[in-house]
Amino acid sequence: MYEPIRTKSVHRTMAGAPHDFPGRSREEELDIQLAGHLGALLAVTDELRAAAPSADLDTAAERLAEQVTRLRGGSEPARAPATTSGSAPRVTALHRQAHALAGRALVVAASRADTVAAILAAERMDAHTAALAPRALASH
C-alpha cells in the first residue's frame, strides 16, 4: 500500500526556514531539464547542418529553437554557426550524439506530459536512427 511521506523535503529545509530557499516546483525543474536537453540537441543539430546540410535538419533546428524558447519563457537559445564540413566518422558521431540527446529529451518530455516536445524528440530519434542505418550497413 501507499504510505504518505512523513517528513518535509530536504530541498526546502536545508537553508533553514522555507522562505530562505527559492524552491522550484517539479514542473519548473522538468522545464529546465527539458530546455537543457533540447538546447544541447539544437547545438548538435546545428553542427550537423554545417557538416551535412539538409532541409530536414534546417526544419528540425527551427522547431527545436521554438521549443527551447517556449520552455525558457521567451528567451531564445544561443546559437553559434558552425562553418566546417565534417567527415563521415564525424557526421556519424554527431548523429549518435543527437540520438542520445533526443532520447533524454523524450524521457523528460514524457515525465512532464509535454506532447509537443515528446513528439519532436521522438521524430528526431527516428531521423537520426535512419541517418545511421546506411552507415551501419556500409561498415559491415
Short mmCIF file of all heavy atoms in Angstrom, two decimals, residues 62-120:
data_model
loop_
_atom_site.label_atom_id
_atom_site.label_comp_id
_atom_site.label_asym_id
_atom_site.label_seq_id
_atom_site.Cartn_x
_atom_site.Cartn_y
_atom_site.Cartn_z
N GLU A 62 14.87 24.73 -36.46
CA GLU A 62 13.88 25.77 -36.18
C GLU A 62 12.86 25.31 -35.16
O GLU A 62 12.49 26.05 -34.24
CB GLU A 62 13.19 26.22 -37.47
CG GLU A 62 14.11 26.99 -38.40
CD GLU A 62 14.84 28.15 -37.71
OE1 GLU A 62 14.18 28.94 -36.98
OE2 GLU A 62 16.06 28.26 -37.87
N ARG A 63 12.38 24.08 -35.29
CA ARG A 63 11.41 23.54 -34.34
C ARG A 63 12.01 23.40 -32.95
O ARG A 63 11.36 23.69 -31.94
CB ARG A 63 10.88 22.20 -34.84
CG ARG A 63 9.99 22.35 -36.08
CD ARG A 63 9.51 21.02 -36.60
NE ARG A 63 8.67 20.33 -35.63
CZ ARG A 63 8.46 19.02 -35.64
NH1 ARG A 63 9.02 18.25 -36.55
NH2 ARG A 63 7.67 18.46 -34.73
N LEU A 64 13.26 22.95 -32.88
CA LEU A 64 13.94 22.83 -31.59
C LEU A 64 14.11 24.21 -30.95
O LEU A 64 13.87 24.37 -29.74
CB LEU A 64 15.31 22.15 -31.76
CG LEU A 64 15.27 20.66 -32.05
CD1 LEU A 64 16.62 20.18 -32.56
CD2 LEU A 64 14.84 19.88 -30.83
N ALA A 65 14.51 25.20 -31.73
CA ALA A 65 14.68 26.56 -31.20
C ALA A 65 13.36 27.10 -30.66
O ALA A 65 13.33 27.74 -29.60
CB ALA A 65 15.23 27.48 -32.29
N GLU A 66 12.26 26.82 -31.35
CA GLU A 66 10.94 27.25 -30.87
C GLU A 66 10.62 26.64 -29.51
O GLU A 66 10.12 27.33 -28.62
CB GLU A 66 9.86 26.86 -31.88
CG GLU A 66 9.85 27.66 -33.15
CD GLU A 66 8.88 27.09 -34.18
OE1 GLU A 66 8.09 26.17 -33.86
OE2 GLU A 66 8.92 27.57 -35.33
N GLN A 67 10.88 25.35 -29.36
CA GLN A 67 10.57 24.67 -28.11
C GLN A 67 11.46 25.16 -26.96
O GLN A 67 10.98 25.36 -25.85
CB GLN A 67 10.69 23.15 -28.27
CG GLN A 67 9.62 22.55 -29.14
CD GLN A 67 8.23 22.87 -28.65
OE1 GLN A 67 7.89 22.67 -27.49
NE2 GLN A 67 7.42 23.42 -29.54
N VAL A 68 12.73 25.36 -27.24
CA VAL A 68 13.63 25.87 -26.20
C VAL A 68 13.18 27.27 -25.77
O VAL A 68 13.13 27.58 -24.58
CB VAL A 68 15.10 25.88 -26.67
CG1 VAL A 68 16.00 26.56 -25.66
CG2 VAL A 68 15.58 24.45 -26.92
N THR A 69 12.82 28.10 -26.73
CA THR A 69 12.34 29.46 -26.43
C THR A 69 11.08 29.39 -25.57
O THR A 69 10.95 30.12 -24.59
CB THR A 69 12.07 30.23 -27.74
OG1 THR A 69 13.28 30.31 -28.48
CG2 THR A 69 11.55 31.63 -27.46
N ARG A 70 10.17 28.50 -25.92
CA ARG A 70 8.93 28.34 -25.15
C ARG A 70 9.23 27.91 -23.71
O ARG A 70 8.70 28.48 -22.76
CB ARG A 70 8.03 27.31 -25.82
CG ARG A 70 6.74 27.00 -25.03
CD ARG A 70 5.91 25.93 -25.70
NE ARG A 70 6.55 24.65 -25.83
CZ ARG A 70 6.51 23.70 -24.89
NH1 ARG A 70 5.88 23.91 -23.75
NH2 ARG A 70 7.09 22.54 -25.09
N LEU A 71 10.10 26.93 -23.56
CA LEU A 71 10.41 26.40 -22.23
C LEU A 71 11.18 27.40 -21.37
O LEU A 71 11.11 27.35 -20.15
CB LEU A 71 11.18 25.09 -22.35
CG LEU A 71 10.37 23.92 -22.90
CD1 LEU A 71 11.28 22.80 -23.34
CD2 LEU A 71 9.37 23.44 -21.85
N ARG A 72 11.93 28.27 -22.01
CA ARG A 72 12.71 29.27 -21.27
C ARG A 72 11.94 30.58 -21.11
O ARG A 72 12.54 31.62 -20.81
CB ARG A 72 14.03 29.53 -21.98
CG ARG A 72 14.98 28.36 -21.88
CD ARG A 72 16.31 28.69 -22.50
NE ARG A 72 17.22 27.57 -22.38
CZ ARG A 72 18.34 27.47 -23.07
NH1 ARG A 72 18.68 28.42 -23.93
NH2 ARG A 72 19.11 26.43 -22.91
N GLY A 73 10.66 30.56 -21.35
CA GLY A 73 9.84 31.75 -21.14
C GLY A 73 10.13 32.87 -22.11
O GLY A 73 10.08 34.04 -21.75
N GLY A 74 10.45 32.53 -23.35
CA GLY A 74 10.69 33.54 -24.37
C GLY A 74 12.14 33.86 -24.62
O GLY A 74 12.48 34.58 -25.55
N SER A 75 13.03 33.33 -23.82
CA SER A 75 14.47 33.56 -24.01
C SER A 75 14.98 32.62 -25.10
O SER A 75 14.93 31.40 -24.95
CB SER A 75 15.21 33.29 -22.69
OG SER A 75 16.58 33.40 -22.87
N GLU A 76 15.48 33.21 -26.18
CA GLU A 76 15.95 32.41 -27.30
C GLU A 76 17.27 31.73 -26.99
O GLU A 76 18.12 32.29 -26.30
CB GLU A 76 16.10 33.28 -28.55
CG GLU A 76 14.77 33.80 -29.07
CD GLU A 76 14.92 34.54 -30.38
OE1 GLU A 76 15.98 34.44 -31.02
OE2 GLU A 76 13.96 35.23 -30.74
N PRO A 77 17.47 30.52 -27.52
CA PRO A 77 18.73 29.81 -27.26
C PRO A 77 19.88 30.46 -28.01
O PRO A 77 19.71 31.00 -29.10
CB PRO A 77 18.45 28.41 -27.80
CG PRO A 77 17.38 28.59 -28.82
CD PRO A 77 16.55 29.75 -28.34
N ALA A 78 21.05 30.39 -27.41
CA ALA A 78 22.27 30.88 -28.07
C ALA A 78 22.63 29.89 -29.16
O ALA A 78 22.61 28.68 -28.95
CB ALA A 78 23.40 31.00 -27.07
N ARG A 79 22.95 30.42 -30.33
CA ARG A 79 23.30 29.54 -31.44
C ARG A 79 24.56 30.08 -32.09
O ARG A 79 24.63 31.24 -32.45
CB ARG A 79 22.17 29.48 -32.45
CG ARG A 79 20.93 28.82 -31.86
CD ARG A 79 19.78 28.79 -32.80
NE ARG A 79 20.01 27.83 -33.87
CZ ARG A 79 19.15 27.60 -34.83
NH1 ARG A 79 18.02 28.25 -34.88
NH2 ARG A 79 19.42 26.72 -35.77
N ALA A 80 25.53 29.20 -32.21
CA ALA A 80 26.78 29.57 -32.88
C ALA A 80 26.82 28.87 -34.22
O ALA A 80 26.66 27.65 -34.30
CB ALA A 80 27.98 29.14 -32.04
N PRO A 81 27.02 29.62 -35.28
CA PRO A 81 27.07 28.97 -36.59
C PRO A 81 28.34 28.13 -36.74
O PRO A 81 29.43 28.61 -36.46
CB PRO A 81 27.07 30.14 -37.57
CG PRO A 81 27.61 31.29 -36.79
CD PRO A 81 27.22 31.06 -35.36
N ALA A 82 28.16 26.90 -37.13
CA ALA A 82 29.30 26.03 -37.40
C ALA A 82 29.67 26.20 -38.87
O ALA A 82 28.81 26.22 -39.73
CB ALA A 82 28.94 24.58 -37.10
N THR A 83 30.94 26.36 -39.14
CA THR A 83 31.36 26.69 -40.50
C THR A 83 32.18 25.60 -41.18
O THR A 83 32.56 25.74 -42.31
CB THR A 83 32.19 27.98 -40.50
OG1 THR A 83 33.31 27.80 -39.62
CG2 THR A 83 31.37 29.16 -40.03
N THR A 84 32.47 24.53 -40.48
CA THR A 84 33.31 23.49 -41.09
C THR A 84 32.46 22.33 -41.56
O THR A 84 31.42 22.03 -40.98
CB THR A 84 34.34 22.97 -40.07
OG1 THR A 84 33.64 22.41 -38.97
CG2 THR A 84 35.25 24.07 -39.59
N SER A 85 32.91 21.68 -42.60
CA SER A 85 32.22 20.47 -43.05
C SER A 85 32.87 19.29 -42.34
O SER A 85 34.04 19.35 -41.98
CB SER A 85 32.30 20.33 -44.55
OG SER A 85 33.65 20.22 -44.94
N GLY A 86 32.11 18.24 -42.16
CA GLY A 86 32.62 17.12 -41.41
C GLY A 86 32.88 15.90 -42.25
O GLY A 86 32.33 15.73 -43.33
N SER A 87 33.73 15.05 -41.74
CA SER A 87 34.00 13.77 -42.39
C SER A 87 32.88 12.80 -42.01
O SER A 87 32.11 13.05 -41.10
CB SER A 87 35.35 13.23 -41.92
OG SER A 87 35.30 12.99 -40.52
N ALA A 88 32.82 11.68 -42.70
CA ALA A 88 31.79 10.69 -42.42
C ALA A 88 31.84 10.20 -40.97
O ALA A 88 30.79 10.10 -40.33
CB ALA A 88 31.91 9.52 -43.39
N PRO A 89 33.04 9.91 -40.40
CA PRO A 89 33.04 9.49 -38.99
C PRO A 89 32.52 10.58 -38.05
O PRO A 89 31.83 10.30 -37.08
CB PRO A 89 34.51 9.18 -38.70
CG PRO A 89 35.10 8.87 -40.03
CD PRO A 89 34.35 9.74 -41.00
N ARG A 90 32.83 11.85 -38.35
CA ARG A 90 32.35 12.95 -37.52
C ARG A 90 30.84 13.08 -37.62
O ARG A 90 30.15 13.27 -36.62
CB ARG A 90 33.03 14.26 -37.95
CG ARG A 90 32.53 15.48 -37.26
CD ARG A 90 33.07 15.59 -35.85
NE ARG A 90 32.57 16.82 -35.25
CZ ARG A 90 32.10 16.89 -34.03
NH1 ARG A 90 32.10 15.84 -33.25
NH2 ARG A 90 31.65 18.02 -33.55
N VAL A 91 30.29 12.96 -38.82
CA VAL A 91 28.85 13.04 -39.02
C VAL A 91 28.16 11.88 -38.29
O VAL A 91 27.14 12.07 -37.62
CB VAL A 91 28.49 13.06 -40.52
CG1 VAL A 91 27.00 12.90 -40.74
CG2 VAL A 91 28.99 14.35 -41.16
N THR A 92 28.73 10.70 -38.37
CA THR A 92 28.17 9.55 -37.67
C THR A 92 28.16 9.78 -36.17
O THR A 92 27.17 9.50 -35.49
CB THR A 92 28.97 8.27 -38.01
OG1 THR A 92 28.90 8.06 -39.42
CG2 THR A 92 28.43 7.05 -37.30
N ALA A 93 29.25 10.30 -35.64
CA ALA A 93 29.33 10.58 -34.20
C ALA A 93 28.29 11.62 -33.80
O ALA A 93 27.66 11.50 -32.74
CB ALA A 93 30.73 11.05 -33.83
N LEU A 94 28.09 12.63 -34.63
CA LEU A 94 27.09 13.66 -34.33
C LEU A 94 25.68 13.06 -34.35
O LEU A 94 24.85 13.41 -33.50
CB LEU A 94 27.20 14.82 -35.32
CG LEU A 94 28.40 15.73 -35.15
CD1 LEU A 94 28.51 16.70 -36.33
CD2 LEU A 94 28.32 16.51 -33.84
N HIS A 95 25.40 12.18 -35.30
CA HIS A 95 24.08 11.54 -35.33
C HIS A 95 23.87 10.68 -34.08
O HIS A 95 22.77 10.68 -33.51
CB HIS A 95 23.92 10.68 -36.59
CG HIS A 95 23.52 11.46 -37.80
ND1 HIS A 95 22.32 12.12 -37.91
CD2 HIS A 95 24.17 11.68 -38.97
CE1 HIS A 95 22.24 12.71 -39.08
NE2 HIS A 95 23.36 12.47 -39.74
N ARG A 96 24.90 9.99 -33.65
CA ARG A 96 24.78 9.17 -32.42
C ARG A 96 24.53 10.07 -31.20
O ARG A 96 23.71 9.76 -30.34
CB ARG A 96 26.03 8.33 -32.22
CG ARG A 96 26.10 7.17 -33.15
CD ARG A 96 27.23 6.21 -32.78
NE ARG A 96 27.23 5.10 -33.71
CZ ARG A 96 28.26 4.78 -34.47
NH1 ARG A 96 29.39 5.46 -34.41
NH2 ARG A 96 28.18 3.76 -35.31
N GLN A 97 25.28 11.16 -31.13
CA GLN A 97 25.10 12.08 -30.01
C GLN A 97 23.70 12.70 -30.04
O GLN A 97 23.04 12.80 -29.00
CB GLN A 97 26.17 13.17 -30.09
CG GLN A 97 26.13 14.13 -28.92
CD GLN A 97 27.22 15.20 -29.03
OE1 GLN A 97 27.90 15.33 -30.04
NE2 GLN A 97 27.38 15.97 -27.97
N ALA A 98 23.24 13.09 -31.21
CA ALA A 98 21.91 13.68 -31.34
C ALA A 98 20.83 12.67 -30.96
O ALA A 98 19.84 13.02 -30.30
CB ALA A 98 21.69 14.18 -32.76
N HIS A 99 21.02 11.42 -31.35
CA HIS A 99 20.05 10.37 -31.00
C HIS A 99 19.96 10.22 -29.48
O HIS A 99 18.86 10.14 -28.92
CB HIS A 99 20.46 9.05 -31.65
CG HIS A 99 19.48 7.95 -31.42
ND1 HIS A 99 19.52 7.13 -30.32
CD2 HIS A 99 18.40 7.54 -32.15
CE1 HIS A 99 18.53 6.27 -30.38
NE2 HIS A 99 17.83 6.50 -31.49
N ALA A 100 21.09 10.20 -28.81
CA ALA A 100 21.11 10.08 -27.35
C ALA A 100 20.44 11.28 -26.67
O ALA A 100 19.65 11.12 -25.73
CB ALA A 100 22.54 9.92 -26.85
N LEU A 101 20.74 12.47 -27.16
CA LEU A 101 20.12 13.68 -26.59
C LEU A 101 18.62 13.70 -26.82
O LEU A 101 17.85 14.08 -25.93
CB LEU A 101 20.77 14.93 -27.18
CG LEU A 101 22.19 15.22 -26.72
CD1 LEU A 101 22.84 16.26 -27.62
CD2 LEU A 101 22.20 15.66 -25.27
N ALA A 102 18.19 13.28 -27.99
CA ALA A 102 16.75 13.22 -28.28
C ALA A 102 16.07 12.21 -27.35
O ALA A 102 14.95 12.45 -26.89
CB ALA A 102 16.51 12.86 -29.74
N GLY A 103 16.74 11.11 -27.06
CA GLY A 103 16.20 10.12 -26.13
C GLY A 103 16.03 10.69 -24.73
O GLY A 103 15.00 10.47 -24.07
N ARG A 104 17.01 11.43 -24.27
CA ARG A 104 16.91 12.07 -22.95
C ARG A 104 15.77 13.08 -22.93
O ARG A 104 15.01 13.16 -21.96
CB ARG A 104 18.23 12.75 -22.59
CG ARG A 104 19.33 11.78 -22.31
CD ARG A 104 20.63 12.49 -21.94
NE ARG A 104 21.70 11.53 -21.93
CZ ARG A 104 22.85 11.71 -22.55
NH1 ARG A 104 23.09 12.83 -23.20
NH2 ARG A 104 23.77 10.78 -22.50
N ALA A 105 15.66 13.86 -23.99
CA ALA A 105 14.58 14.84 -24.08
C ALA A 105 13.23 14.15 -24.08
O ALA A 105 12.28 14.63 -23.44
CB ALA A 105 14.75 15.71 -25.33
N LEU A 106 13.12 13.03 -24.77
CA LEU A 106 11.87 12.29 -24.81
C LEU A 106 11.45 11.82 -23.43
O LEU A 106 10.28 11.93 -23.05
CB LEU A 106 11.99 11.11 -25.77
CG LEU A 106 10.77 10.20 -25.90
CD1 LEU A 106 9.55 10.98 -26.36
CD2 LEU A 106 11.07 9.05 -26.85
N VAL A 107 12.39 11.32 -22.65
CA VAL A 107 12.08 10.84 -21.30
C VAL A 107 11.55 11.99 -20.44
O VAL A 107 10.55 11.86 -19.75
CB VAL A 107 13.33 10.19 -20.65
CG1 VAL A 107 13.11 9.93 -19.16
CG2 VAL A 107 13.67 8.90 -21.36
N VAL A 108 12.22 13.13 -20.49
CA VAL A 108 11.80 14.27 -19.67
C VAL A 108 10.46 14.82 -20.18
O VAL A 108 9.58 15.16 -19.39
CB VAL A 108 12.88 15.37 -19.63
CG1 VAL A 108 12.40 16.57 -18.83
CG2 VAL A 108 14.16 14.83 -19.03
N ALA A 109 10.30 14.91 -21.49
CA ALA A 109 9.05 15.41 -22.05
C ALA A 109 7.88 14.50 -21.65
O ALA A 109 6.80 15.00 -21.32
CB ALA A 109 9.14 15.50 -23.57
N ALA A 110 8.11 13.21 -21.64
CA ALA A 110 7.06 12.29 -21.21
C ALA A 110 6.76 12.47 -19.72
O ALA A 110 5.60 12.43 -19.31
CB ALA A 110 7.48 10.84 -21.49
N SER A 111 7.79 12.73 -18.92
CA SER A 111 7.59 12.94 -17.48
C SER A 111 6.76 14.17 -17.19
O SER A 111 5.97 14.19 -16.25
CB SER A 111 8.93 13.08 -16.76
OG SER A 111 9.64 11.89 -16.81
N ARG A 112 6.92 15.20 -18.00
CA ARG A 112 6.17 16.43 -17.76
C ARG A 112 4.92 16.50 -18.63
O ARG A 112 4.23 17.50 -18.63
CB ARG A 112 7.06 17.66 -17.90
CG ARG A 112 7.33 18.14 -19.28
CD ARG A 112 8.18 19.38 -19.31
NE ARG A 112 7.54 20.62 -19.01
CZ ARG A 112 6.67 21.25 -19.80
NH1 ARG A 112 6.30 20.71 -20.94
NH2 ARG A 112 6.18 22.41 -19.47
N ALA A 113 4.63 15.42 -19.36
CA ALA A 113 3.44 15.33 -20.22
C ALA A 113 3.41 16.46 -21.24
O ALA A 113 2.36 17.05 -21.51
CB ALA A 113 2.17 15.30 -19.38
N ASP A 114 4.56 16.74 -21.85
CA ASP A 114 4.67 17.75 -22.90
C ASP A 114 4.62 17.03 -24.24
O ASP A 114 5.63 16.57 -24.75
CB ASP A 114 5.97 18.54 -22.75
CG ASP A 114 6.07 19.73 -23.68
OD1 ASP A 114 5.49 19.67 -24.79
OD2 ASP A 114 6.74 20.70 -23.31
N THR A 115 3.43 16.92 -24.79
CA THR A 115 3.22 16.14 -26.01
C THR A 115 4.01 16.69 -27.19
O THR A 115 4.60 15.93 -27.95
CB THR A 115 1.72 16.09 -26.36
OG1 THR A 115 1.01 15.62 -25.21
CG2 THR A 115 1.44 15.17 -27.52
N VAL A 116 4.01 18.00 -27.35
CA VAL A 116 4.69 18.62 -28.49
C VAL A 116 6.19 18.30 -28.45
O VAL A 116 6.78 17.87 -29.44
CB VAL A 116 4.45 20.14 -28.52
CG1 VAL A 116 5.27 20.80 -29.61
CG2 VAL A 116 2.97 20.43 -28.72
N ALA A 117 6.81 18.49 -27.30
CA ALA A 117 8.24 18.22 -27.17
C ALA A 117 8.53 16.72 -27.30
O ALA A 117 9.54 16.33 -27.88
CB ALA A 117 8.77 18.75 -25.85
N ALA A 118 7.64 15.88 -26.77
CA ALA A 118 7.84 14.43 -26.87
C ALA A 118 7.78 13.97 -28.32
O ALA A 118 8.61 13.17 -28.76
CB ALA A 118 6.79 13.69 -26.03
N ILE A 119 6.83 14.50 -29.08
CA ILE A 119 6.72 14.13 -30.49
C ILE A 119 7.96 14.59 -31.25
O ILE A 119 8.53 13.85 -32.06
CB ILE A 119 5.43 14.70 -31.10
CG1 ILE A 119 4.21 13.96 -30.53
CG2 ILE A 119 5.45 14.61 -32.63
CD1 ILE A 119 2.88 14.58 -30.88
N LEU A 120 8.39 15.82 -31.00
CA LEU A 120 9.58 16.34 -31.66
C LEU A 120 10.81 15.49 -31.33
O LEU A 120 11.58 15.13 -32.22
CB LEU A 120 9.83 17.80 -31.25
CG LEU A 120 11.08 18.47 -31.81
CD1 LEU A 120 11.08 18.45 -33.34
CD2 LEU A 120 11.18 19.89 -31.29
#
